[in-house]
Amino acid sequence: MEHMHEGHDQHHQDHQDHQDHGHEGAGVGAGKVSWAMAARATLHCLTGCAIGEVLGMVIGTALGWGNVPTMVLAIVLAFFFGYALTLRGILAAGVGLRTAVRVALAADTLSIAVMELIDNGVIALWPGAMDAHLSDPMFWIVLAIALAAAFVITTPVNKWMIGRGKGHAVVHQYHH
């Protein structure tokens, strides 16, 4: 639970960083966005994606599923946990569920999709990675490399989206 509070505090800091840029009247998130703000938004999404990816791979492996169904489950769970982390913060701000779901979908869909494309692409293309078992160090090394690549490639996407009032900028209006 301590980690969850840190995430909320980070969202509050992101919101404060946004306010410090001085774009009152320019629209939520419009204008210059720091790389630090984009990195924090990306890390937030990556956390949900990583939870879903690992859980999906563990479940698929435990059930003896093949690579494709396991990867599909991991992707579905990555989206689920990515959205869930955002929903948690929006709902905590007192927003209704229907609005919170719409905001989470608007805020995270592109970010999670890019992360999943990069993450799963690295894993699928890395020789031997798809056949590595959870007990194999190669599995964890390639997963770490894939998640790092997803972070590096998605951060500029999030910076661009936040600068245009989209992505995580949409979430900031609910943190007061």
Side-chain angles (χ1 to χ4, degrees), residues 38-109:
R40 282 191 296 271
T42 305
L43 190 58
H44 173 86
C45 277
L46 187 66
T47 301
C49 287
I51 291 168
E53 286 281 333
V54 172
L55 187 58
M57 290 179 200
V58 168
I59 292 170
T61 300
L63 296 175
W65 290 359
N67 289 338
V68 173
T70 298
M71 188 176 271
V72 169
L73 177 63
I75 292 168
V76 168
L77 290 177
F79 272 92
F80 174 80
F81 282 99
Y83 290 138
L85 289 181
T86 297
L87 270 174
R88 184 189 157 274
I90 298 168
L91 290 170
V95 175
L97 181 60
R98 175 173 272 174
T99 300
V101 168
R102 276 187 260 150
V103 169
L105 290 172
D108 289 342
T109 299

Side-chain angles (χ1 to χ4, degrees), residues 124-144:
L125 296 174
W126 195 286
M130 291 295 288
D131 297 320
H133 296 281
L134 296 174
S135 60
D136 186 345
M138 176 190 229
F139 170 85
W140 297 102
I141 291 167
V142 174
L143 179 62

Side-chain angles (χ1 to χ4, degrees), residues 2-15 40 88:
E2 179 89 19
H3 179 67
M4 295 282 206
H5 285 39
E6 289 172 9
H8 179 71
D9 292 344
Q10 192 59 60
H11 268 299
H12 181 71
Q13 181 60 45
D14 290 347
H15 181 69
R40 282 191 296 271
R88 184 189 157 274

Side-chain angles (χ1 to χ4, degrees), residues 158-169:
N158 280 330
K159 185 177 189 301
W160 177 79
M161 288 177 25
I162 294 167
R164 281 150 187 76
K166 305 204 181 304
H168 274 262

